[in-house]
Amino acid sequence: MDSMIVGSFPRPSSLITSGGNDWKSDRVKKVCFPIKLSRFGAWNSLDRCLLVRSQNHLLKPPIKGFEERTTFYKRHNRKFLVNAASGQSLESEPGAYKPKSGWDSFKNALDAFYRFSRPHTVIGTVLSIVSVSLLAVEKLSDISPLFFTGVLEAVVAAFFMNIYIVGLNQLSDIDIDKVNKPYLPLASGEYSVGTGVMIVTSFSILSFWLGWIVGSWPLFWALFISFLLGTAYSINVPLLRWKRFALVAAMCILAVRAVIVQLAFFLHIQTHVYKRPVVFSRPLIFATAFMSFFSVVIALFKDIPDIDGDKIYGIRSFSVRLGQQRVFWICISLLEMAYTVALLVGIASSSLWSKLLTVVGHTILASVLWNRAKSVDLKSKDAITSFYMFIWKLFYVEYLLIPLVR
């Protein structure tokens, strides 16, 4: 399709200068005339014109204002008046902008939600519920469709509540996360505040709705208490935002991860699914005690890589108050103590296979933890963050060992 371009082009005779010293005498004369070009021909002619002008300037000595004019040409030479029959302008080059496909948009949205959900916490929640649910299994016939249905109800409801808690924390910490975790969707601007509010509100409603229709009081109370503590931990209103206070913040995490998860979800299977009386078994007591250590470690360690933002915004975490190195080794000591207790519990087990698996398993984990801890560069935020994720992996493995404690 033809297009009409109106532009100024140098005369052919003026394209090559004689090399004289008189700049003014060799000034390029220009004429304006319309030319009829195809859509692609317009681009080729335009590029040739720009090339000729560049060559012409190289042949001439510099004068005052040369740099300013050159900059002006770079900005405006492509702004010719183009009237194409299609209505498109040549303000930008063809192919410079490639619109995202629907699949790319979907992948980007999925990736943003993945980061928003804080997947390491989701994995921990799912594994912990499955693990403590298995503690209620007394015989092989207990592994039934009824059991899997009960576990699925608990996992989905807890997943929804997990999204609410981590989402609310991000909504309350947008400025801090711009320093500590700029990759999170709210901190990076991928999500607006309105989007974040919509997500956390929707997921909290879904969680309570599912907990209510299931009809399990242990499950509903687990969701409700988690909601209260998660809200009090993060939301920035008077008397709340308990994360500002290191001890209270640690107690919130301990209450949810160590007590509520172990007891409430065990009772959900024990009383709601199996219709059995409440009983606190030896493995359940061990799981609660061990995860109390682990929850305190997670509560302390999560602030070590975030010390810069916490200092700026007045979050008095233990890392800010005591220093990164001291808190790091407190965490390592607590975990090694927990593994020592686990070894003693394993040795005292009356079941040979349980004794063997728990003793060997916890010995390996304690050794790996110690060797890895000695090699961490505490001056590197990346190294500390990597080790924090390693602690979560130890957390996952422990939930694989807990059902073996008998």
Side-chain angles (χ1 to χ4, degrees), residues 102-119:
W103 174 245
D104 288 337
S105 298
F106 174 76
K107 286 194 298 183
N108 291 339
L110 193 63
D111 175 67
F113 182 76
Y114 176 82
R115 284 177 281 118
F116 181 78
S117 69
R118 309 297 281 144

Side-chain angles (χ1 to χ4, degrees), residues 37 42 53 58 62 111 128 141 146 151 181 214 227 232 243 263 280 303 332 378 406:
L37 298 169
R53 284 190 177 186
L58 290 174
D111 175 67
S128 62
S141 60
L146 186 65
V151 172
K181 304 180 184 78
V214 166
F227 174 84
K243 68 180 299 178
L263 300 183
F280 296 101
D303 294 326
I332 301 303
L378 295 178
R406 297 294 171 181

Side-chain angles (χ1 to χ4, degrees), residues 49-319:
C49 173
L50 295 177
L51 178 60
V52 168
R53 284 190 177 186
S54 299
Q55 292 172 341
N56 194 38
H57 283 300
L58 290 174
L59 292 170
K60 296 177 181 179
I63 63 171
K64 184 178 180 181
F66 172 79
E67 292 182 357
E68 288 79 6
R69 273 205 297 268
T70 302
T71 303
F72 177 82
Y73 285 144
K74 288 180 181 177
R75 286 200 308 266
H76 298 284
N77 269 337
R78 289 188 179 273
K79 293 189 177 180
F80 288 82
L81 299 176
V82 179
N83 297 314
S86 63
Q88 292 180 334
S89 76
L90 298 181
E91 293 279 321
S92 60
E93 295 191 22
Y97 172 72
K98 294 181 179 179
K100 292 182 179 179
S101 67
W103 174 245
D104 288 337
S105 298
F106 174 76
K107 286 194 298 183
N108 291 339
L110 193 63
D111 175 67
F113 182 76
Y114 176 82
R115 284 177 281 118
F116 181 78
S117 69
R118 309 297 281 144
H120 61 280
T121 66
V122 173
I123 295 171
T125 297
V126 172
L127 282 177
S128 62
I129 293 172
V130 173
S131 180
V132 298
S133 297
L134 288 170
L135 294 180
V137 174
E138 296 177 357
K139 51 187 181 295
L140 191 59
S141 60
D142 286 343
I143 307 295
S144 62
L146 186 65
F147 169 79
F148 288 112
T149 300
V151 172
L152 183 62
E153 292 168 344
V155 165
V156 174
F159 167 75
F160 290 157
M161 186 55 65
N162 196 98
I163 298 298
Y164 165 77
I165 292 172
V166 298
L168 181 65
N169 188 53
Q170 291 173 65
L171 281 169
S172 303
D173 285 355
I174 293 177
D175 291 333
I176 299 177
D177 286 340
K178 287 179 181 179
V179 178
N180 293 336
K181 304 180 184 78
Y183 54 86
L184 294 178
L186 284 166
S188 67
E190 292 173 84
Y191 282 176
S192 65
V193 173
T195 299
V197 170
M198 180 191 69
I199 291 174
V200 299
T201 302
S202 300
F203 275 87
S204 63
I205 292 172
L206 285 172
S207 180
F208 282 122
W209 171 77
L210 183 56
W212 182 260
I213 65 170
V214 166
S216 169
W217 281 111
L219 175 60
F220 185 83
W221 280 107
L223 299 174
F224 184 68
I225 296 173
S226 298
F227 174 84
L228 291 180
L229 292 178
T231 303
Y233 178 87
S234 296
I235 195 167
N236 194 9
V237 298
L239 303 180
L240 297 181
R241 194 162 173 77
W242 291 348
K243 68 180 299 178
R244 293 176 298 170
F245 313 107
L247 184 60
V248 180
M251 291 301 102
C252 284
I253 295 174
L254 184 148
V256 174
R257 288 286 176 189
V259 180
I260 294 175
V261 168
Q262 319 309 317
L263 300 183
F265 291 105
F266 172 83
L267 293 176
H268 165 68
I269 300 297
Q270 179 77 3
T271 63
H272 176 73
V273 175
Y274 291 145
K275 309 298 182 184
R276 293 170 182 163
V278 175
V279 62
F280 296 101
S281 62
R282 180 173 174 269
L284 179 63
I285 295 171
F286 165 77
T288 304
F290 189 94
M291 284 304 165
S292 295
F293 281 91
F294 230 122
S295 299
V296 171
V297 168
I298 288 175
L300 296 178
F301 207 101
K302 73 178 185 62
D303 294 326
I304 297 178
D306 293 345
I307 190 170
D308 293 333
D310 289 349
K311 283 181 178 178
I312 293 172
Y313 291 96
I315 303 297
R316 299 290 294 167
S317 66
F318 279 113
S319 295

